Amino acid sequence: MKKFIRRNLAGYTFLLPWLIGFFALSVGPILSSFYLSFTDYDAVRAPQWVGLENYEYMVQYDRRFWKALQVTFTFVLISVPAKLIFALAVAMILDKGVRAIGWYRALFYLPSILGGSIAVAVLWRQLFDNDGLVNTLLGVVGVEGPNWLSDPRYSLTTLIVLAMWQFGSPMLIFLAGLRAIPQELYEAAEIDAAGKVRQFFAITLPLLAPVIFFNLVLQMIEAFKSFSGAFVISGGKGAPLDSLLFFTVYLYNEAFSFFRMGYASALAWVLLLIIAVFTVIAFWSSKYWVHYENERN
Amino acid sequence: MTNAALDTASTAEIARTYREARQRRAKRAGLLKHLFLILTSLVMVYPLIWMLSSSLKPDNQIFGNLGLWPSAFRWENYGNGWNAMAVSFTRFFWNSTVVTVLSVIGNVISCSFAAYAFARLEFNGRTIWFALMMTTLMIPYHVVLIPQYILFLNLGWVNTYLPLIVPRFLAGDAFFIFLMVQFFRQLPRELDEAAMIDGCSPFKIYWAIIMPLSIPAMATAAIFSFIWTWEDFLGPLVYLNDMRDYTVPLALRSFIAQDSVTAYGQMFAMSILSVLPIVIFFIIFQRLIIRGIAMSGLK
Amino acid sequence: MASVILSEVRKAYSGFEVIHGIDLEVQSGEFLVLVGPSGCGKSTLLRMIAGLEEITDGTIAIGDRIVNDLPASQRNLSMVFQSYALYPHMSVRKNLAFGLGNLRMPRDEIARRVADAARILQIEELMERKPRQLSGGQKQRVAIGRAIVREPQLFLFDEPLSNLDAELRVQMRVELAGLYNRLGTTMIYVTHDQTEAMTMATRIAVLNKGNLEQVGTPYELYNTPRNLFVASFIGSPKMNILKGISTGQAVELAGLGRLPIHVAAGDVTVGVRPEHLAIGGAGDISVEGTITLVEYLGSEVFIYVALPDGQTLLAQAPGNARHQRGEAVRLSFNARGTHLFDAAGLRLETSQ
């Protein structure tokens, strides 16, 4: 018994803050949230059990739910690949050795740091204002830009552009990954009659696959959780016409504007499920295109 | 070169022809590359420059014209904006500072404790706890948001800073634990072993050996923690109702939520100020930040 | 099969020249070894021939075509790298077939060539493995296999055996020599190990600090080294170096005696290989000294003798010679076994 205590005392003492946090702030809330999703709860009176009603309503009657799904999926499925492709392209250009690469790296990364801030969201809203910078620039080349903020067909584009503006973060990771590929492999490939394009597909991509995968999963999860931009630009409600009703915004409104906490919990679990499914799909598909260098067979 | 020319030309001349052709090609390619990079940089940075210039322009010049240089410098935008709301921005910046500094301290301490346990100490169930810790990385905040809110509501913590700060002291951010674990793993175990032979307790080892050697990792964690906490919006949005308690992002959003916002200059001025601390941190610590990203990205 | 002609080839990095005007002709079908100490430029030269480094000045011709502007992928040569450079994510089979696929060769032709190479190099059981599952020697064979499937006009080797342990190195040396005998293709081989050079080359090119010191057969380099550097570099163990002064009639070696050699008057350097130093006996020069170290190799013995003036000479004796540390011995040698170099280190032709 003494041995048991001695062996574990140090470890658990250091782990204690995290353990408390884990149970109080993660496990507890997750279980509680699951429970609440089957209730009607307004944070004042006790929760009323309603069984699957929340979920039924969500799927069968709640137009806004489906709209939120559509908006969020569109955002994720467009912005994530676009961001990654751009990040990879710029990383490859920088990798070849450029003077002042430090400047470029920092410059490209800065938007990623600022991108989640309210200041940038505010800025973005003004950029896409009807008389804002974007339309003014378009006017210079003779194109009449739409009313980005009030036209439901174009409002999502503003957020997709905002997401792409933050390509610096995956770019840095790609840069590090590219650096890890030995130059000699490219030399051997060149001697093996492989041109630049062939080298990219036969060497760069396969060896970069783990990094691509990592970035893909990370960016995907981030995109699903996107909140501040949509919140500020849409005025907090997903306007215009719910075209910016990101799932997270919808959830926030249900929970803290209408105090339909039970329903909001159900929504939260759907979000969790979606992210989990996508992550699992990503992991499963990785079997086919990601090969790790240090794997043991 | 034709074969006939080859016969008459000397080696030096031949070499020079090839060399010059090659240099011309390289120069052209280099030019294109730089053009692309410079263009992209401009596009990236332009919104920020535009924001800065708009903060100094008279309001009617902000929209519809491309000129970046203000015709008249409205420095007073900054002063006016500062006091434009019922509560002065001095209060907001102070609030943000308090919340952020405490969060950073809490994060660094509690996450390094947990990381030390995971990376260096042996105890039953370590693998399981570690796996569980990693899964928390994938939990969207929104799933735990509501129950946490209820919890804090019942504790009477809503409308205070406690819900924002206390979780940081409980290693709530698994990302930093992960970052530090990666770093600790690179420190040679022999250091711990030597100290143990010298009779040091695990706490002493942590304090005197691991921690001083981990300054880079802790600094990286501190910087990221600072930036993310300073910019945090959802947390303060949910838990702070009294305007006097607002942090800067929340205050900024209130600024624009006022219906009659035509004081764009002031709005931009306050936006600039609100991100200024982050930009300054970034400029000073960029090498550390960039290295931290790369390290977290590649196991 | 191709010849390679280097004409006034120079290489400079940002104005700093590392290879100074090299002229070298590699004959078709020969095994030429580029040898020299670290930093002499041998790898750089090889890479310029391969097309992996730009040629700052001068021309390189492979076959009868000047290749200054020809990219490496079109030069129809193969290269074996020091660290093998196998594609880590491809199986051995795919590693071998990769280059052929890029050349759009028909599938069955590729399969035939890959099978042939696998058989020659005895790697048939490894075909489906990935490089990380192979040992150093196996990786080296796959790298060589990748080079031979292309049936190129020229083989380039960049210190391919440096990463192998000593025993494997000896074995691979024999195999590479066998490969050369079998294929007969022109081969250019870079190494810092003069033993590899001597045993494998038809001709050796000695480089030092970006200059070509001498090109010749191993026999020529060993017996008529053109300068002091080549004399010291080639031959293991190293040649003994003595300082002397020529009077025109003879060469005076300080404290050691006089050699009956006629060369121009002035400062000279005299080189004597260990095998030309005899223990005991008599000769043009005879000195007394004390043995400081005896290295017994079985077939021969290397004996280090300290002379009264402080110099140490190394003598080679047959394996059955019995000598001990601290023993006083007499060393002798004749003018016939010596090499003379002038004050600038260049070979002096002697008459006696």
Side-chain angles (χ1 to χ4, degrees), chain A:
Chain A
M1 184 58 191
K2 255 216 194 107
K3 201 156 166 219
F4 178 81
I5 294 183
R6 203 169 358 156
R7 174 176 157 77
N8 292 295
L9 184 63
Y12 277 101
T13 311
F14 274 94
L15 210 58
L16 195 60
W18 177 79
L19 274 174
I20 298 177
F22 179 66
F23 283 105
L25 301 173
S26 290
V27 175
I30 290 182
L31 295 175
S32 161
S33 157
F34 189 62
Y35 162 70
L36 283 177
S37 73
F38 297 109
T39 70
D40 227 348
Y41 184 48
D42 63 359
V44 176
R45 293 164 300 176
Q48 312 268 18
W49 182 266
V50 292
L52 288 173
E53 242 177 65
N54 284 334
Y55 291 101
E56 277 169 12
Y57 177 74
M58 196 189 298
V59 171
Q60 290 188 311
Y61 297 107
D62 192 352
R63 278 257 189 81
R64 293 190 93 203
F65 167 73
W66 290 106
K67 181 70 180 170
L69 275 186
Q70 180 221 330
V71 170
T72 310
F73 274 130
T74 313
F75 175 71
V76 172
L77 291 173
I78 296 185
S79 72
V80 172
K83 206 170 165 184
L84 288 184
I85 291 176
F86 208 68
L88 183 57
V90 176
M92 288 190 62
I93 294 181
L94 287 180
D95 182 46
K96 290 292 168 29
V98 179
R99 250 181 332 179
I101 186 182
W103 279 106
Y104 285 120
R105 231 176 21 193
L107 213 59
F108 291 140
Y109 185 62
L110 184 59
S112 288
I113 294 227
L114 297 178
S117 69
I118 298 299
V120 165
V122 165
L123 167 68
W124 227 252
R125 208 178 72 161
Q126 299 316 129
L127 280 181
F128 282 92
D129 188 276
N130 213 12
D131 296 315
L133 183 65
V134 173
N135 278 351
T136 315
L137 281 173
L138 286 177
V140 165
V141 290
V143 174
E144 181 166 339
N147 196 330
W148 301 95
L149 298 177
S150 44
D151 189 337
R153 292 170 298 167
Y154 292 100
S155 52
L156 193 56
T157 314
T158 66
L159 288 172
I160 293 181
V161 171
L162 178 58
M164 288 180 64
W165 189 60
Q166 299 174 53
F167 75 87
S169 174
M171 182 202 78
L172 284 185
I173 298 183
F174 277 136
L175 208 54
L178 286 172
R179 290 269 166 85
I181 301 179
Q183 183 61 18
E184 266 195 349
L185 290 182
Y186 290 114
E187 291 177 350
E190 205 187 332
I191 291 188
D192 261 345
K196 291 281 184 233
V197 174
R198 179 92 179 109
Q199 285 175 33
F200 175 73
F201 283 104
I203 298 192
T204 312
L205 273 191
L207 290 180
L208 213 53
V211 177
I212 297 179
F213 176 69
F214 175 81
N215 265 339
L216 183 68
V217 174
L218 206 68
Q219 292 301 319
M220 204 176 59
I221 297 181
E222 285 303 307
F224 273 119
K225 300 200 293 190
S226 183
F227 179 73
S228 326
F231 190 80
V232 167
I233 293 185
S234 73
K237 295 191 180 29
L241 290 188
D242 283 354
S243 60
L244 292 181
L245 190 68
F246 277 42
F247 204 84
T248 49
V249 174
Y250 184 43
L251 202 161
Y252 173 81
N253 274 318
E254 288 295 300
F256 297 103
S257 299
F258 302 117
F259 286 96
R260 293 199 271 260
M261 299 249 170
Y263 190 59
S265 298
L267 288 175
W269 270 86
V270 170
L271 181 63
L272 179 64
L273 216 71
I274 294 174
I275 294 182
V277 166
F278 270 74
T279 309
V280 165
I281 294 180
F283 269 90
W284 170 82
S285 85
S286 79
K287 213 176 9 159
Y288 295 104
W289 56 283
V290 182
H291 306 281
Y292 292 95
E293 184 95 4
N294 299 315
E295 224 163 67
R296 269 165 266 311
N297 274 357

Side-chain angles (χ1 to χ4, degrees), chain B residues 26-38:
Chain B
K27 209 176 282 191
R28 229 178 323 171
L31 218 66
L32 254 106
K33 196 162 46 160
H34 271 281
L35 208 66
F36 174 79
L37 286 174
I38 292 180

Side-chain angles (χ1 to χ4, degrees), chain C residues 243-244 252-258 285-288 307-309 311:
Chain C
K243 289 253 174 285
E252 296 270 349
L253 292 169
L256 302 175
R258 185 182 299 188
I285 300 265
S286 218
V287 282
E288 305 274 340
L307 301 182
D309 64 2
Q311 286 182 92

